[in-house]
Every structure is written in structure tokens, then in C-alpha cells.
Amino acid sequence: MASRANQRVLLACALLCAAVFPCADSSRLSAAESQPQPAVATANFPIASGARLAGDAKQTRFILDLDQTVTFRAFTLADPYRVVVDVPQINFQLPAGTGGGGRGLVKAFRYGLVMPGGSRIVFDLAGPAKITNSYVLEAANGQPARLVLELEEVDRTAFVQSQSPDSRPELRPAIADAPPATVPAAAAPPDTAQQKPADGRAVVVIDPGHGGIDNGTQSSGESEKNLVLAFGLALRDRLEKSGKYRVVMTRDDDTFIPLNDRVKIARGLKAALFVSIHADALPRAEGDAQGATIYTLSDKASDAEAQRLADAENRADAIAGFNLAEEPTDVADILIDLTQRETRTFSNRFARFLMSEMKSTVRMHKHPLKSAGFRVLKAPDVPSVLVEIGYVSNKGDLDHLVSEGWRSRAVGSMAQAIDGFLAKRMAAGAGN
């Protein structure tokens, strides 16, 4: 027993030492970084021009107008009740607000990209329902091609029985029977021989939140996913210009990345730092907050607003239609205590560095340092923060978020904080 305990302590210490040195072996590239992005013009994708619901609380039909027929796969998910339809990548040219309201069995629906080459439509249901019929009609008699989905109310027992194991989605779904030329399957991790060699530089992972089917918050025609992507790309360019770091984006286009995959990217690269970028919105009933906020991981939220935000962000995979109950975890118990405690110390230290730099450049929230149980911050061996760069629900913040001048100043202060933090860590590592 004592020997086993000693082995656990030694292994934990070894893992901790590896976390202290930011210039780690970064040859293990993530699939997200090394996977080639298709350079296909948007005009080549099928176009969806209209979507509508018909029926009542017993039977509901969904119709999607298309300029050509497509292959698809449809399945149901519980807790909450949803219907998911996977299709090849589609250029959605639907009227603004489409999907925001529901009818019959459908409370609302959303749509967008979930991976290069694949789009998804997710229906939030008012209760359990089954798919009684689903098909694609070719264009005829002046009508466009149409994808039709017919739903029928059932009780929970019948709903659960209708869910076969084969219908459960993978974290990176491909269209079930689509030909490879139409929808490329999710790329497997590259062979070691094809991975980029380590170059000795610290790895910084930038994580623009949301993406694809998950728009994040929206206000005045602006989507959070687009605002934070623009900010993340600007930060990447600023850091790469210095030549000090290898900078990896969890996404550099409008693609949905599951939360667990974002964490895996940072861990797989043994990143020295993980920075997740978001722009929150506050419900009208909660007032009009403003300014940037920096979050670190905690099992207990620092306040009710932090808890609400963490709960909202942690639902990202459910928004995109992934079955969270099936999601694996690769965090071994030996990492939880010693390594994660040390990592949280580094995360809190970077958060203070960041606040110090940002407060002289951009407007900060009245309580700029907070903590909550964000899933995306749970890498036990990578210092991680989530930065809310502003509130899209506040007009002043939104004006800043769309301003290139403000973005440049904010990115500059964040890059300075990263420089200061990693310089101290590297000096500490060299001293050992």
C-alpha cells in the first residue's frame, strides 16, 4: 500500500514539474490545428432560402426550402428534449429571426456549421416527441427542393424506446450515408510523423467562444461568435509578430468546437496558457452591466452573475445537439489534487497580470476578477482563464467591441500580460 502511494505521489510530482515549464514538447498537434480547412466557395454549397413550421401540439411538420436535394440524418435527444438533423454544409440564407419562435411541438430551432463540410439543425421540443417521417422532395411544379421532418407527440417511455444506440451522435458527427465528396468525415488525429516538430517556444492557445451553430449572445445584429473570433485572430497576430510563442487557435473560422475538444487541444499541446474569449449579455431584468471581466476556475462561483454565466456557457454542447451524458473525460484522479491546485495558482496569477494591464487600456467591470465552474477551464495541467471582453447587451461595450481601434488597444494590453506572465514562468523554470 505504501509503495502504491509513493508511486502516485511521484507521478503527480512529475506531472506538476511538466506543467511548470512552458517550453514543453509541442509536437503533439491537435486535429483542430492540423486539419486542413476546405477552401470551397460559399456559393458551391446548397442554399437554404426558407424554413417554416406547421401543425399543433400533437403533430408538427418542419419544412426547409433548398436549391438542391441533400442527404441527411435525423435523431432525437433527451434532457432536454431535442431533435437534431445533420446535413452537408449549407449556406443558410434565411430571414433574420428564423427559428426564434416555435409552433406545436417545437419551441424554437437553430442552425449552423458544426464542422467543415457539415451543418446541423437543432429543434428544442416542448416535450417528448418521435420522428414519424423524414424525407427530401425534389424540385417540382414551381416548388423548390424541400427537406421535410414530421414529429408526433409521445410519452417519455415511448420516447426513450425510440432512441436506438445507433442514433446517438458522435462528438464530431458526419452525415451517415453521405458520399465523401459531399461531406468529409471528421479528420482523425494526424500521424506522429506528420506532426510539426517542437521548436522550444511556449504554446499559447486562444479559444474564441461559440461558433458554427452556436451563435452565443446576439444584439443589434451582432453575434458574439463573430466578435470574439475577430478579437482572437487579432490577438493571435499580435503574439505571432513577437515570434516568442507558438499560437494555436481552437477555431479560426465559423466552426463549432465541443467544449471538451477545446480543453483537449490545450492539454494535447502541453500549452503554457489557455485564454478563452467571450462577450456576455445580461438579461434586462438584471440591469446594465459593462466592462471586461476575467474568470478563473472554481467549484463555487464568486457571485450569482458568475454562476449564471458559467451555467450558460456550459450548455454550449447541448445547444449544438451533443449528448453530454455520453461525453468522455480523460482527467485521471491523480491529477485532481496536486497538479490542479498548482495550476489554479498559476491561473489566478495570470488573471491578476491581465487585470493590471487591461485596466489602464479598456473599461473593466466593477468586479473584474471572478470565478466559476466553467467546463472550458478544467484542464488540470494548463493555466486557463476566460475573458469576457465586454457585454454586447450594453451599447457602450458593443460600440467598443465592433471598433478596430478599441480592439487593437485591448489586444495590446492582453499581449503584454501574456508576455509578463510567461517571462516570469520561464525564469522560474530556468532557475530550477
Side-chain angles (χ1 to χ4, degrees):
M1 182 70 68
S3 176
R4 181 177 299 176
N6 290 338
Q7 289 176 355
R8 288 170 64 87
V9 170
L10 288 173
L11 178 54
C13 289
L15 290 166
L16 176 58
C17 291
V20 172
F21 292 95
C23 299
D25 174 12
S26 55
S27 62
R28 294 167 55 200
L29 292 183
S30 69
E33 182 191 18
S34 58
Q35 177 178 325
Q37 302 298 315
V40 182
T42 303
N44 292 338
F45 294 126
I47 295 174
S49 57
R52 54 199 177 277
L53 293 164
D56 53 30
K58 296 294 183 182
Q59 294 180 317
T60 303
R61 174 181 291 176
F62 169 76
I63 303 171
L64 181 70
D65 293 333
L66 299 160
D67 69 339
Q68 59 184 277
T69 59
V70 296
T71 56
F72 72 96
R73 179 183 65 157
F75 53 89
T76 56
L77 291 173
D79 305 323
Y81 295 112
R82 288 158 289 163
V83 170
V84 177
V85 179
D86 281 343
V87 291
Q89 185 164 342
I90 284 179
N91 179 10
F92 289 99
Q93 297 183 4
L94 304 181
T98 297
R103 180 168 180 169
L105 293 165
V106 177
K107 293 193 296 184
F109 64 91
R110 53 194 170 273
Y111 46 87
L113 200 66
V114 288
M115 58 179 285
S119 294
R120 173 169 280 189
I121 309 168
V122 179
F123 300 86
D124 297 317
L125 302 182
K130 68 177 181 179
I131 302 169
T132 56
N133 207 356
S134 58
Y135 50 91
V136 172
L137 297 172
E138 294 187 355
N141 301 321
Q143 294 291 321
R146 283 156 288 165
L147 187 157
V148 181
L149 188 73
E150 296 177 351
L151 307 175
E152 181 178 296
E153 181 187 37
V154 295
D155 60 27
R156 182 172 175 86
T157 300
F159 178 89
V160 172
Q161 291 175 346
S162 71
Q163 289 190 292
S164 65
D166 292 339
S167 70
R168 293 173 184 167
E170 299 174 359
L171 284 179
R172 288 191 176 279
I175 309 307
D177 299 316
T182 305
V183 183
D191 294 334
T192 303
Q194 296 176 331
Q195 295 173 355
K196 295 180 181 178
D199 58 14
R201 293 179 295 170
V203 177
V204 177
V205 175
I206 301 172
D207 173 47
H210 309 283
I213 191 172
D214 178 14
N215 290 315
T217 55
Q218 299 183 81
S219 180
S220 302
E222 298 289 344
S223 291
E224 179 183 3
K225 67 176 182 178
N226 296 329
L227 294 170
V228 298
L229 178 59
F231 190 98
L233 291 170
L235 179 58
R236 178 197 65 183
D237 294 344
R238 181 70 63 93
L239 292 174
E240 285 184 339
K241 188 178 294 185
S242 73
K244 297 177 183 178
Y245 315 109
R246 276 194 57 221
V247 187
V248 176
M249 303 285 290
T250 57
R251 70 178 183 96
D252 58 9
D253 60 11
D254 188 24
T255 301
F256 178 82
I257 308 294
L259 296 176
N260 197 48
D261 283 9
R262 297 171 188 259
V263 178
K264 283 182 179 179
I265 289 170
R267 297 198 69 207
L269 292 168
K270 299 182 181 178
L273 192 61
F274 176 91
V275 181
S276 192
I277 310 293
H278 291 255
D280 193 20
L282 203 64
R284 291 182 180 179
E286 295 186 26
D288 186 26
Q290 60 185 9
T293 315
I294 304 162
Y295 289 87
T296 52
L297 179 66
S298 174
D299 296 329
K300 185 177 181 180
S302 54
D303 56 37
E305 183 181 315
Q307 184 63 59
R308 178 196 60 77
L309 178 62
D311 290 343
E313 298 296 351
N314 291 347
R315 287 196 297 268
D317 288 2
I319 286 172
F322 292 115
N323 190 349
L324 302 185
E326 300 293 322
E327 183 173 347
T329 179
D330 58 357
V331 179
D333 61 346
I334 195 168
L335 293 172
I336 298 301
D337 294 328
L338 181 60
T339 307
Q340 193 165 58
R341 192 180 308 130
E342 191 72 12
T343 298
R344 288 188 184 186
T345 297
F346 285 124
S347 299
N348 292 331
R349 188 175 301 168
F350 174 65
R352 291 192 295 271
F353 259 96
L354 187 54
M355 182 191 68
S356 178
E357 291 291 345
M358 291 185 72
K359 70 181 182 181
S360 61
T361 308
V362 302
R363 180 168 59 189
M364 301 297 291
H365 189 276
K366 60 183 178 181
H367 301 299
L369 293 178
K370 297 189 178 187
S371 60
F374 293 92
R375 287 176 59 212
V376 80
L377 299 182
K378 290 190 175 182
D381 44 4
V382 180
S384 305
V385 299
L386 185 149
V387 184
E388 292 284 342
I389 54 177
Y391 286 82
V392 298
S393 51
N394 176 272
K395 185 181 184 305
D397 278 8
L398 185 58
D399 288 343
H400 288 156
L401 292 171
V402 299
S403 164
E404 290 188 12
W406 178 92
R407 184 187 306 143
S408 179
R409 294 192 298 273
V411 161
S413 63
M414 195 172 290
Q416 285 183 315
I418 291 171
D419 274 340
F421 172 73
L422 291 182
K424 284 184 175 293
R425 285 200 69 192
M426 287 187 281
N432 293 337

